Amino acid sequence: MAPSPQQLRGHTRAEIQRRCAAGECLVLVGPRRVYDLSAFVRLHPGGPELLLQRAGTDVSAQLDGPPHRHSENARRWLEQYYVGDLEDDDARQQQQEDHSKEQNSSSFPAVTKDSKMDPRCKAVDEDQELVDWRKPLLWQVGHLGEKYDEWVHQPVDRPIRLFHSDFIESLSKTAWYTVCAVWLPLVLYLSWHSYTSLAKGETWLFSTFTTAYSIRVQKTWFPLLFIVGMCMWSLVEYIIHRFIFHMSPPANNYYLITLHFLLHGQHHKSPFDGSRLVFPPAPSSLAIAFFYVLARVVFPEAFGTSLFVGGLFGYLVYDMMHYYLHYGSPKKGSYLYEMKAYHVKHHFEHQNAGFGITSKLWDHPFQTLIPEETPEKED
């Protein structure tokens, strides 16, 4: 979050070069404005090397492109890291002397901040903010009405609190490894159960309708069914992301706006909140139980379970990949590097396109593929 005016100060070129040499990443935009991107380096979709190579320099040309012209949201995001203006060494020395005199002459102790408040939660500027970040947001967003859609798609780098209760708030946050710890053992067990059930040779397709043309399902079918289940999940992933997570709640419906923010809006508002990048096991178990029952009702037991476990593994891959696309630094030119750039564009520029997370497969037939950028520089 951008520092308060009291936290802004001047920076000399010597100081900037010294801090960059020590591993920090300070850049200039224009002749004077200084930004500290040290906390964002690892998250940058172009890779940390791209920012570190430009540390201590003016990045105005890179913001305008080519090859990539940064969106308005990206420029707004950058402002959160503004730390002051460039000044000459003589002005800095005089400022330090004046500050030292003020401290020596003052007999009052410095005012301390509330230790419970996150340092990024600055005092609310009523002229700029639509919500009070010091209070739970879930009960505020419904009152934004027609301003909600624009507000929620202007991402910020600051923590979000949803609930008043500390206990309920803790349940809304999930570490990435919790998903593996909960669902991977179930994937392994159901895979073993499905394979051994198919090995008995008692699973038949279409036996409910006819015995003359029923097909016995052998144990060798399991890998194929598992892969088909994963492919089915990729379609479910796309449908949920596009039609549920990106529904457009009516501006006059407080409850639907609140529901949207709880399901997905919070993620678009604070896309790099590491505690909210995977689904908590409790709510996700309801959807998983629904698909398990559906598979058992529609197909023979072992056949349906084989499809289901493939889909469950697909979900596990999706959740882990989604976390990595936000917090990882994939190697340039790799598939994950491409998908990270694709997903960040979805957050910052193309919120109504690019709904595939693990792949762009379903964005093609549904015509929601994010267009490729042209190398020409725009006016």
Side-chain angles (χ1 to χ4, degrees):
M1 191 63 205
S4 63
Q6 291 78 10
Q7 295 173 303
L8 298 177
R9 63 179 181 84
H11 301 264
T12 64
R13 289 192 181 276
E15 177 197 357
I16 293 173
Q17 295 302 324
R18 183 176 66 254
R19 291 176 62 180
C20 289
E24 297 183 61
C25 184
L26 278 72
V27 299
L28 293 168
V29 177
R32 291 183 59 82
R33 293 179 69 83
V34 182
Y35 297 82
D36 186 356
L37 303 181
S38 303
F40 183 66
V41 167
R42 183 173 57 86
L43 307 177
H44 186 249
E49 297 81 8
L50 201 61
L51 285 182
L52 292 174
Q53 290 170 0
R54 293 171 170 79
T57 67
D58 183 355
V59 297
S60 301
Q62 284 73 33
L63 289 175
D64 291 334
H68 173 58
R69 183 179 178 87
H70 289 68
S71 66
E72 290 302 315
N73 268 337
R75 294 167 188 270
R76 187 181 295 108
W77 181 273
L78 176 64
E79 289 304 315
Q80 299 174 111
Y81 305 109
Y82 172 63
V83 291
D85 292 336
L86 186 67
E87 64 180 25
D88 57 61
D89 291 329
D90 292 338
R92 162 57 65 82
Q93 183 177 357
Q94 183 63 44
Q95 183 185 42
Q96 289 178 341
E97 291 176 358
D98 293 342
H99 180 66
S100 177
K101 291 178 181 178
E102 290 178 5
Q103 284 186 326
N104 293 334
S105 62
S106 175
S107 59
F108 298 98
V111 177
T112 57
K113 294 184 178 180
D114 184 355
S115 60
K116 294 183 179 180
M117 184 183 297
D118 190 289
R120 290 175 290 173
C121 290
K122 66 178 180 63
V124 175
D125 183 348
E126 297 294 346
D127 295 331
Q128 300 293 330
E129 300 286 357
L130 298 177
V131 297
D132 189 339
W133 287 89
R134 296 166 298 184
K135 300 176 182 179
L137 294 190
L138 189 61
W139 317 118
Q140 301 183 58
V141 294
H143 296 294
L144 295 180
E146 61 184 13
K147 297 180 181 179
Y148 171 74
D149 187 67
E150 180 181 5
W151 174 84
V152 81
H153 289 120
Q154 293 177 349
V156 297
D157 184 14
R158 66 191 305 170
I160 285 180
R161 185 178 180 94
L162 294 178
F163 302 98
H164 290 278
S165 167
D166 291 339
F167 175 70
I168 298 178
E169 178 72 8
S170 67
L171 295 180
S172 70
K173 298 181 178 182
T174 309
W176 68 267
Y177 51 81
T178 303
V179 176
C180 293
V182 171
W183 300 119
L184 188 56
L186 185 60
V187 168
L188 296 175
Y189 169 75
L190 289 179
S191 296
W192 171 82
H193 174 74
S194 300
Y195 182 80
T196 54
S197 296
L198 292 176
K200 296 177 181 179
E202 299 174 355
T203 303
W204 296 80
L205 282 178
F206 312 120
S207 59
T208 305
F209 307 101
T210 175
T211 56
Y213 298 100
S214 58
I215 302 174
R216 174 180 289 178
V217 181
Q218 305 289 343
K219 63 182 181 181
T220 53
W221 285 40
F222 176 75
L224 176 62
L225 295 175
F226 190 93
I227 294 173
V228 171
M230 291 186 65
C231 294
M232 292 171 65
W233 161 255
S234 70
L235 177 59
V236 172
E237 167 197 318
Y238 178 91
I239 291 173
I240 291 176
H241 191 189
R242 179 179 179 181
F243 296 107
I244 298 180
F245 290 169
H246 279 270
M247 66 174 179
S248 297
N252 61 350
N253 195 312
Y254 171 91
Y255 297 102
L256 284 181
I257 291 176
T258 302
L259 177 63
H260 178 267
F261 189 72
L262 178 64
L263 289 176
H264 198 59
Q266 52 158 316
H267 174 54
H268 268 262
K269 190 62 184 176
S270 184
F272 292 102
D273 186 343
S275 64
R276 302 186 189 276
L277 291 178
V278 296
F279 283 101
S284 62
S285 63
L286 299 177
I288 289 172
F290 168 78
F291 286 113
Y292 176 73
V293 172
L294 181 65
R296 290 287 300 270
V297 169
V298 175
F299 302 104
E301 189 271 336
F303 187 94
T305 304
S306 299
L307 291 174
F308 168 79
V309 72
L312 181 59
F313 184 72
Y315 160 72
L316 182 60
V317 170
Y318 151 80
D319 238 359
M320 294 300 96
M321 186 168 172
H322 182 238
Y323 183 90
Y324 186 75
L325 294 185
H326 281 267
Y327 260 71
S329 298
K331 183 179 180 181
K332 188 173 183 179
S334 66
Y335 177 75
L336 289 175
Y337 181 90
E338 177 186 359
M339 292 307 299
K340 179 180 177 73
Y342 188 74
H343 189 57
V344 170
K345 287 180 182 178
H346 166 74
H347 273 279
F348 281 80
E349 191 171 6
H350 298 276
Q351 292 90 357
N352 294 317
F355 297 108
I357 306 297
T358 53
S359 76
K360 306 175 186 178
L361 175 64
W362 298 105
D363 281 316
H364 287 276
F366 286 103
Q367 298 182 345
T368 54
L369 193 70
I370 295 176
E372 295 288 340
E373 291 185 83
T374 55
E376 291 82 8
K377 184 176 180 178
E378 299 179 18
D379 295 331

